[in-house]
Amino acid sequence: YGQNCRGAGESTTAYLRQNCEGQPSCAYRIDDPGTGDPASGCTKDYVAEWSCGDDPTVHRATAAPAAGFGVVALRCD
């Protein structure tokens, strides 16, 4: 979260996992308190990467700057 802000990104893996793990689809709201604020005053982007079950394919969902007000959709088909 926020890697576009001079490399000051922060991992939100634990919060994403807590909200989405084991579900076939998940709409993850980025304003979760766990996302924190890794770069005050900078409009942050968000990148989520995940895999589904035993499939090693890595999926990716992104939210453009101002992500703190958005949702990323994760899905395993």
Side-chain angles (χ1 to χ4, degrees):
Y1 175 54
Q3 285 186 322
N4 64 312
C5 294
R6 300 170 301 285
E10 182 173 303
S11 175
T12 61
T13 300
Y15 301 100
L16 186 63
R17 181 177 291 135
Q18 179 182 355
N19 285 283
C20 297
E21 188 169 42
Q23 298 181 45
S25 65
C26 177
Y28 178 73
R29 182 167 301 284
I30 300 163
D31 68 354
D32 184 304
T35 57
D37 189 355
S40 182
C42 179
T43 307
K44 291 161 277 302
D45 64 356
Y46 189 88
V47 178
E49 294 182 334
W50 71 98
S51 57
C52 301
D54 295 331
D55 183 350
T57 304
V58 175
H59 304 275
R60 182 181 186 121
T62 61
F69 302 104
V71 172
V72 289
L74 288 68
R75 181 174 196 105
C76 290
D77 291 324

